[in-house]
Amino acid sequence: MPVTRIHWDDLPPDARQAVEQQTGPILRADTASAGANSGIAATLHTAAATLFVKGIPSDHPQARTQQREATIAPYVPAASPHLLWRVQAAGWDLIGYERIIGRHADYAPGSPDLPLVAQALVELQNTPCPNIELKAAEQRWKTYAGPAGVEQLIGDTLLHTDLAPHNMLITDRAHLIDWAWPTRGAAWIDPAVLILRLMEAGHTAPAADAWTRSHIPSWAAAPHDAVDAFSEANARTWDDIARNDPQEWKKTMGRLAHDWLTYWRTLTLSVTDS
């Protein structure tokens, strides 16, 4: 369900006051234009600091994603923005982050951002998965799994699972943001997720596969059958997403997921026949 974006001054006074108890008086607030899952997303300026706040009505169905963000925040890689505080007041759940001044990543072929994206993903894959309650990959994709099942998705790697370019901020490095879907699973799942975003940016399936294989070790070691099982489940997931909310970009992701699955199965057959 989409969330209506409002401005800082539209928040209930008690909610703004609760934030200012953490920050001091807000001198200026600039609403973010990107993103669609927060009821408020703004850069806040105080006399002492600049920070980023995002929030959602506490009774909104997507409030659980913000709860997940707050829960995983202490365990994410050091390059991700640090959670500063969380307040719940006047029907709103609001969280404040350190502000990273950067731009969204460019995933296009040949982009100088791509090595930074790979480094960020490798850093994540080297980050210990915390011993907290997290959705397991085999549970998350179980509904969409084919006959091969999802037991091959089991693993103990901390996954981001939403590696769209607007979730990578670029400075002199790449910073992973928006941890709404943290998951525990096989390490190669995040590279598989990234590949679809590379295809969305103009890479062919073979080129995206080759680039990821050369930059992310877990992808180079991924078992063919396991990737096939995930790719089928992921294609069905995107089909469902686009069916329930037929925005053009979601339909594009569904098509790309099926294009990838076709490529992977053709590749698997060629390996089997060789």
Side-chain angles (χ1 to χ4, degrees):
M1 178 186 299
V3 187
T4 301
R5 177 70 54 83
I6 66 172
H7 300 291
W8 168 253
D9 289 339
D10 298 325
L11 278 173
D14 287 350
R16 298 199 305 271
Q17 182 179 10
V19 169
E20 290 185 324
Q21 289 175 356
Q22 303 291 326
T23 65
I26 303 299
L27 305 180
R28 191 175 91 244
D30 303 319
T31 299
S33 58
N37 295 322
S38 296
I40 185 167
T43 299
L44 303 183
H45 304 266
T46 73
T50 301
L51 62 149
F52 182 75
V53 65
K54 64 190 297 186
I56 195 166
S58 299
D59 61 355
H60 193 280
Q62 288 184 203
R64 65 185 183 277
T65 64
Q66 185 147 294
Q67 172 63 52
R68 287 196 288 263
E69 284 195 69
T71 300
I72 198 62
Y75 307 100
V76 300
S80 292
H82 297 154
L83 178 66
L84 303 175
W85 44 259
R86 181 185 184 195
V87 297
Q88 295 170 297
W92 278 80
D93 187 340
L94 302 156
I95 49 181
Y97 286 98
E98 72 167 320
R99 183 185 178 226
I100 293 176
I101 302 175
R103 56 175 174 80
H104 296 144
D106 177 5
Y107 284 4
S111 168
D113 295 349
L114 291 176
L116 302 180
V117 170
Q119 290 169 14
L121 194 50
V122 170
E123 179 187 27
L124 170 59
Q125 304 217 309
N126 290 330
T127 300
C129 189
N131 186 24
I132 61 173
E133 184 177 350
L134 285 175
K135 194 79 166 181
E138 65 273 17
Q139 297 171 327
R140 185 167 163 192
W141 280 281
K142 180 179 181 179
T143 302
Y144 303 101
V150 289
E151 67 278 356
Q152 297 173 93
L153 311 188
I154 295 172
D156 198 32
T157 297
L158 175 61
L159 307 172
H160 184 280
T161 75
D162 188 11
L163 297 170
H166 60 259
N167 287 337
M168 284 273 190
L169 287 182
I170 301 296
T171 58
D172 58 345
R173 63 180 303 173
H175 307 260
L176 265 171
I177 63 173
D178 285 349
W179 285 82
W181 297 97
T183 302
R184 177 184 284 106
W188 51 264
I189 291 175
D190 261 348
V193 169
L194 177 62
I195 279 174
L196 291 190
R197 294 299 185 170
L198 295 176
M199 292 172 64
E200 181 188 30
H203 299 252
T204 64
D209 180 24
W211 181 87
T212 307
R213 190 174 302 277
S214 66
H215 286 81
I216 304 174
S218 64
W219 184 248
H224 276 271
D225 289 348
V227 172
D228 185 275
F230 174 77
S231 299
E232 180 176 5
N234 202 33
R236 290 176 176 176
T237 300
W238 278 111
D239 286 343
D240 198 30
I241 290 170
R243 186 164 47 249
N244 290 324
D245 185 14
Q247 296 182 54
E248 197 58 40
W249 74 269
K250 293 181 179 180
K251 292 189 286 185
T252 296
M253 291 302 296
R255 176 179 57 78
L256 292 173
H258 283 280
D259 289 348
W260 165 257
L261 179 60
T262 298
Y263 160 77
W264 188 256
R265 287 183 168 170
T266 302
L267 180 65
T268 302
L269 285 172
S270 67
V271 170
T272 303
D273 293 342
S274 62

PDB file of all heavy atoms in Angstrom, residues 48-70:
ATOM      1  N   ALA A  48      23.144  22.907  15.374  1.00  0.00           N
ATOM      2  CA  ALA A  48      24.350  22.122  15.639  1.00  0.00           C
ATOM      3  C   ALA A  48      24.627  21.035  14.615  1.00  0.00           C
ATOM      4  O   ALA A  48      25.756  20.547  14.517  1.00  0.00           O
ATOM      5  CB  ALA A  48      24.252  21.479  17.022  1.00  0.00           C
ATOM      6  N   ALA A  49      23.604  20.621  13.854  1.00  0.00           N
ATOM      7  CA  ALA A  49      23.794  19.449  13.007  1.00  0.00           C
ATOM      8  C   ALA A  49      22.775  19.417  11.876  1.00  0.00           C
ATOM      9  O   ALA A  49      21.788  20.153  11.872  1.00  0.00           O
ATOM     10  CB  ALA A  49      23.669  18.172  13.849  1.00  0.00           C
ATOM     11  N   THR A  50      23.066  18.526  10.931  1.00  0.00           N
ATOM     12  CA  THR A  50      22.131  18.194   9.854  1.00  0.00           C
ATOM     13  C   THR A  50      21.929  16.696   9.887  1.00  0.00           C
ATOM     14  O   THR A  50      22.900  15.936   9.988  1.00  0.00           O
ATOM     15  CB  THR A  50      22.688  18.624   8.489  1.00  0.00           C
ATOM     16  OG1 THR A  50      22.935  20.031   8.501  1.00  0.00           O
ATOM     17  CG2 THR A  50      21.700  18.319   7.389  1.00  0.00           C
ATOM     18  N   LEU A  51      20.680  16.261   9.827  1.00  0.00           N
ATOM     19  CA  LEU A  51      20.383  14.840   9.900  1.00  0.00           C
ATOM     20  C   LEU A  51      19.212  14.505   8.999  1.00  0.00           C
ATOM     21  O   LEU A  51      18.570  15.390   8.419  1.00  0.00           O
ATOM     22  CB  LEU A  51      20.069  14.419  11.336  1.00  0.00           C
ATOM     23  CG  LEU A  51      18.842  15.067  11.979  1.00  0.00           C
ATOM     24  CD1 LEU A  51      18.206  14.110  12.969  1.00  0.00           C
ATOM     25  CD2 LEU A  51      19.247  16.351  12.719  1.00  0.00           C
ATOM     26  N   PHE A  52      18.952  13.223   8.876  1.00  0.00           N
ATOM     27  CA  PHE A  52      17.871  12.757   8.008  1.00  0.00           C
ATOM     28  C   PHE A  52      16.830  12.054   8.867  1.00  0.00           C
ATOM     29  O   PHE A  52      17.167  11.230   9.725  1.00  0.00           O
ATOM     30  CB  PHE A  52      18.415  11.783   6.958  1.00  0.00           C
ATOM     31  CG  PHE A  52      17.370  11.299   5.991  1.00  0.00           C
ATOM     32  CD1 PHE A  52      16.899  12.127   4.979  1.00  0.00           C
ATOM     33  CD2 PHE A  52      16.852  10.009   6.084  1.00  0.00           C
ATOM     34  CE1 PHE A  52      15.935  11.682   4.085  1.00  0.00           C
ATOM     35  CE2 PHE A  52      15.892   9.561   5.190  1.00  0.00           C
ATOM     36  CZ  PHE A  52      15.436  10.406   4.181  1.00  0.00           C
ATOM     37  N   VAL A  53      15.563  12.398   8.651  1.00  0.00           N
ATOM     38  CA  VAL A  53      14.477  11.761   9.382  1.00  0.00           C
ATOM     39  C   VAL A  53      13.524  11.105   8.398  1.00  0.00           C
ATOM     40  O   VAL A  53      13.278  11.623   7.303  1.00  0.00           O
ATOM     41  CB  VAL A  53      13.710  12.774  10.277  1.00  0.00           C
ATOM     42  CG1 VAL A  53      12.995  13.821   9.430  1.00  0.00           C
ATOM     43  CG2 VAL A  53      12.706  12.050  11.175  1.00  0.00           C
ATOM     44  N   LYS A  54      13.056   9.938   8.760  1.00  0.00           N
ATOM     45  CA  LYS A  54      12.011   9.278   7.983  1.00  0.00           C
ATOM     46  C   LYS A  54      10.988   8.734   8.953  1.00  0.00           C
ATOM     47  O   LYS A  54      11.302   8.452  10.124  1.00  0.00           O
ATOM     48  CB  LYS A  54      12.588   8.182   7.098  1.00  0.00           C
ATOM     49  CG  LYS A  54      13.225   7.031   7.842  1.00  0.00           C
ATOM     50  CD  LYS A  54      13.992   6.097   6.908  1.00  0.00           C
ATOM     51  CE  LYS A  54      13.114   5.435   5.897  1.00  0.00           C
ATOM     52  NZ  LYS A  54      13.859   4.420   5.094  1.00  0.00           N
ATOM     53  N   GLY A  55       9.757   8.592   8.489  1.00  0.00           N
ATOM     54  CA  GLY A  55       8.722   8.117   9.395  1.00  0.00           C
ATOM     55  C   GLY A  55       7.479   7.686   8.659  1.00  0.00           C
ATOM     56  O   GLY A  55       7.330   7.898   7.444  1.00  0.00           O
ATOM     57  N   ILE A  56       6.592   7.079   9.409  1.00  0.00           N
ATOM     58  CA  ILE A  56       5.372   6.514   8.848  1.00  0.00           C
ATOM     59  C   ILE A  56       4.320   6.488   9.945  1.00  0.00           C
ATOM     60  O   ILE A  56       4.664   6.361  11.135  1.00  0.00           O
ATOM     61  CB  ILE A  56       5.660   5.089   8.301  1.00  0.00           C
ATOM     62  CG1 ILE A  56       4.541   4.598   7.385  1.00  0.00           C
ATOM     63  CG2 ILE A  56       5.917   4.103   9.433  1.00  0.00           C
ATOM     64  CD1 ILE A  56       4.957   3.373   6.584  1.00  0.00           C
ATOM     65  N   PRO A  57       3.043   6.645   9.604  1.00  0.00           N
ATOM     66  CA  PRO A  57       2.015   6.514  10.637  1.00  0.00           C
ATOM     67  C   PRO A  57       2.111   5.151  11.324  1.00  0.00           C
ATOM     68  O   PRO A  57       2.309   4.121  10.673  1.00  0.00           O
ATOM     69  CB  PRO A  57       0.707   6.662   9.857  1.00  0.00           C
ATOM     70  CG  PRO A  57       1.077   7.486   8.663  1.00  0.00           C
ATOM     71  CD  PRO A  57       2.464   7.038   8.294  1.00  0.00           C
ATOM     72  N   SER A  58       1.980   5.146  12.629  1.00  0.00           N
ATOM     73  CA  SER A  58       2.177   3.909  13.403  1.00  0.00           C
ATOM     74  C   SER A  58       1.196   2.812  13.037  1.00  0.00           C
ATOM     75  O   SER A  58       1.499   1.625  13.213  1.00  0.00           O
ATOM     76  CB  SER A  58       2.068   4.217  14.897  1.00  0.00           C
ATOM     77  OG  SER A  58       3.056   5.145  15.284  1.00  0.00           O
ATOM     78  N   ASP A  59       0.012   3.184  12.520  1.00  0.00           N
ATOM     79  CA  ASP A  59      -0.996   2.179  12.182  1.00  0.00           C
ATOM     80  C   ASP A  59      -0.973   1.796  10.711  1.00  0.00           C
ATOM     81  O   ASP A  59      -1.849   1.060  10.249  1.00  0.00           O
ATOM     82  CB  ASP A  59      -2.389   2.671  12.581  1.00  0.00           C
ATOM     83  CG  ASP A  59      -2.792   3.964  11.858  1.00  0.00           C
ATOM     84  OD1 ASP A  59      -1.958   4.527  11.119  1.00  0.00           O
ATOM     85  OD2 ASP A  59      -3.943   4.413  12.063  1.00  0.00           O
ATOM     86  N   HIS A  60      -0.002   2.278   9.951  1.00  0.00           N
ATOM     87  CA  HIS A  60       0.077   1.931   8.537  1.00  0.00           C
ATOM     88  C   HIS A  60       0.618   0.508   8.387  1.00  0.00           C
ATOM     89  O   HIS A  60       1.512   0.095   9.146  1.00  0.00           O
ATOM     90  CB  HIS A  60       0.985   2.906   7.789  1.00  0.00           C
ATOM     91  CG  HIS A  60       0.872   2.820   6.300  1.00  0.00           C
ATOM     92  ND1 HIS A  60       1.510   1.849   5.560  1.00  0.00           N
ATOM     93  CD2 HIS A  60       0.165   3.572   5.407  1.00  0.00           C
ATOM     94  CE1 HIS A  60       1.221   2.009   4.274  1.00  0.00           C
ATOM     95  NE2 HIS A  60       0.408   3.054   4.163  1.00  0.00           N
ATOM     96  N   PRO A  61       0.113  -0.268   7.406  1.00  0.00           N
ATOM     97  CA  PRO A  61       0.609  -1.640   7.237  1.00  0.00           C
ATOM     98  C   PRO A  61       2.118  -1.729   7.032  1.00  0.00           C
ATOM     99  O   PRO A  61       2.734  -2.736   7.396  1.00  0.00           O
ATOM    100  CB  PRO A  61      -0.145  -2.129   5.985  1.00  0.00           C
ATOM    101  CG  PRO A  61      -1.407  -1.327   5.968  1.00  0.00           C
ATOM    102  CD  PRO A  61      -1.024   0.017   6.510  1.00  0.00           C
ATOM    103  N   GLN A  62       2.736  -0.693   6.483  1.00  0.00           N
ATOM    104  CA  GLN A  62       4.175  -0.741   6.243  1.00  0.00           C
ATOM    105  C   GLN A  62       5.002  -0.299   7.437  1.00  0.00           C
ATOM    106  O   GLN A  62       6.231  -0.232   7.363  1.00  0.00           O
ATOM    107  CB  GLN A  62       4.530   0.094   5.011  1.00  0.00           C
ATOM    108  CG  GLN A  62       4.085  -0.558   3.719  1.00  0.00           C
ATOM    109  CD  GLN A  62       4.512   0.205   2.478  1.00  0.00           C
ATOM    110  OE1 GLN A  62       3.906   0.064   1.432  1.00  0.00           O
ATOM    111  NE2 GLN A  62       5.556   0.997   2.575  1.00  0.00           N
ATOM    112  N   ALA A  63       4.340  -0.007   8.546  1.00  0.00           N
ATOM    113  CA  ALA A  63       5.098   0.389   9.741  1.00  0.00           C
ATOM    114  C   ALA A  63       6.057  -0.713  10.176  1.00  0.00           C
ATOM    115  O   ALA A  63       7.101  -0.442  10.778  1.00  0.00           O
ATOM    116  CB  ALA A  63       4.141   0.752  10.870  1.00  0.00           C
ATOM    117  N   ARG A  64       5.736  -1.947   9.850  1.00  0.00           N
ATOM    118  CA  ARG A  64       6.604  -3.057  10.245  1.00  0.00           C
ATOM    119  C   ARG A  64       7.961  -2.980   9.553  1.00  0.00           C
ATOM    120  O   ARG A  64       8.965  -3.469  10.084  1.00  0.00           O
ATOM    121  CB  ARG A  64       5.928  -4.394   9.939  1.00  0.00           C
ATOM    122  CG  ARG A  64       5.691  -4.671   8.476  1.00  0.00           C
ATOM    123  CD  ARG A  64       4.899  -5.969   8.265  1.00  0.00           C
ATOM    124  NE  ARG A  64       4.723  -6.289   6.854  1.00  0.00           N
ATOM    125  CZ  ARG A  64       3.775  -5.778   6.087  1.00  0.00           C
ATOM    126  NH1 ARG A  64       2.894  -4.922   6.589  1.00  0.00           N
ATOM    127  NH2 ARG A  64       3.675  -6.117   4.808  1.00  0.00           N
ATOM    128  N   THR A  65       8.013  -2.372   8.350  1.00  0.00           N
ATOM    129  CA  THR A  65       9.307  -2.258   7.682  1.00  0.00           C
ATOM    130  C   THR A  65      10.216  -1.293   8.434  1.00  0.00           C
ATOM    131  O   THR A  65      11.432  -1.510   8.510  1.00  0.00           O
ATOM    132  CB  THR A  65       9.144  -1.793   6.230  1.00  0.00           C
ATOM    133  OG1 THR A  65       8.581  -0.479   6.197  1.00  0.00           O
ATOM    134  CG2 THR A  65       8.239  -2.743   5.460  1.00  0.00           C
ATOM    135  N   GLN A  66       9.631  -0.253   9.008  1.00  0.00           N
ATOM    136  CA  GLN A  66      10.441   0.676   9.790  1.00  0.00           C
ATOM    137  C   GLN A  66      10.914   0.026  11.088  1.00  0.00           C
ATOM    138  O   GLN A  66      12.030   0.281  11.550  1.00  0.00           O
ATOM    139  CB  GLN A  66       9.658   1.953  10.095  1.00  0.00           C
ATOM    140  CG  GLN A  66      10.492   2.992  10.809  1.00  0.00           C
ATOM    141  CD  GLN A  66      10.115   4.409  10.443  1.00  0.00           C
ATOM    142  OE1 GLN A  66      10.295   4.831   9.309  1.00  0.00           O
ATOM    143  NE2 GLN A  66       9.572   5.134  11.394  1.00  0.00           N
ATOM    144  N   GLN A  67      10.087  -0.826  11.662  1.00  0.00           N
ATOM    145  CA  GLN A  67      10.506  -1.576  12.844  1.00  0.00           C
ATOM    146  C   GLN A  67      11.713  -2.450  12.501  1.00  0.00           C
ATOM    147  O   GLN A  67      12.671  -2.550  13.281  1.00  0.00           O
ATOM    148  CB  GLN A  67       9.358  -2.445  13.352  1.00  0.00           C
ATOM    149  CG  GLN A  67       9.743  -3.416  14.472  1.00  0.00           C
ATOM    150  CD  GLN A  67      10.211  -2.688  15.723  1.00  0.00           C
ATOM    151  OE1 GLN A  67       9.516  -1.804  16.221  1.00  0.00           O
ATOM    152  NE2 GLN A  67      11.384  -3.040  16.236  1.00  0.00           N
ATOM    153  N   ARG A  68      11.675  -3.072  11.321  1.00  0.00           N
ATOM    154  CA  ARG A  68      12.811  -3.896  10.906  1.00  0.00           C
ATOM    155  C   ARG A  68      14.073  -3.052  10.749  1.00  0.00           C
ATOM    156  O   ARG A  68      15.167  -3.477  11.116  1.00  0.00           O
ATOM    157  CB  ARG A  68      12.475  -4.624   9.594  1.00  0.00           C
ATOM    158  CG  ARG A  68      11.484  -5.761   9.750  1.00  0.00           C
ATOM    159  CD  ARG A  68      11.483  -6.670   8.545  1.00  0.00           C
ATOM    160  NE  ARG A  68      10.866  -6.056   7.383  1.00  0.00           N
ATOM    161  CZ  ARG A  68       9.606  -6.239   7.004  1.00  0.00           C
ATOM    162  NH1 ARG A  68       8.817  -7.034   7.723  1.00  0.00           N
ATOM    163  NH2 ARG A  68       9.136  -5.669   5.923  1.00  0.00           N
ATOM    164  N   GLU A  69      13.917  -1.858  10.166  1.00  0.00           N
ATOM    165  CA  GLU A  69      15.078  -0.969  10.021  1.00  0.00           C
ATOM    166  C   GLU A  69      15.697  -0.621  11.363  1.00  0.00           C
ATOM    167  O   GLU A  69      16.920  -0.635  11.528  1.00  0.00           O
ATOM    168  CB  GLU A  69      14.670   0.306   9.294  1.00  0.00           C
ATOM    169  CG  GLU A  69      14.471   0.159   7.802  1.00  0.00           C
ATOM    170  CD  GLU A  69      14.424   1.514   7.122  1.00  0.00           C
ATOM    171  OE1 GLU A  69      15.461   2.193   7.065  1.00  0.00           O
ATOM    172  OE2 GLU A  69      13.333   1.892   6.653  1.00  0.00           O
ATOM    173  N   ALA A  70      14.853  -0.291  12.319  1.00  0.00           N
ATOM    174  CA  ALA A  70      15.363   0.082  13.638  1.00  0.00           C
ATOM    175  C   ALA A  70      16.033  -1.107  14.314  1.00  0.00           C
ATOM    176  O   ALA A  70      17.046  -0.953  15.016  1.00  0.00           O
ATOM    177  CB  ALA A  70      14.221   0.618  14.494  1.00  0.00           C
TER     178      ALA A  70
END
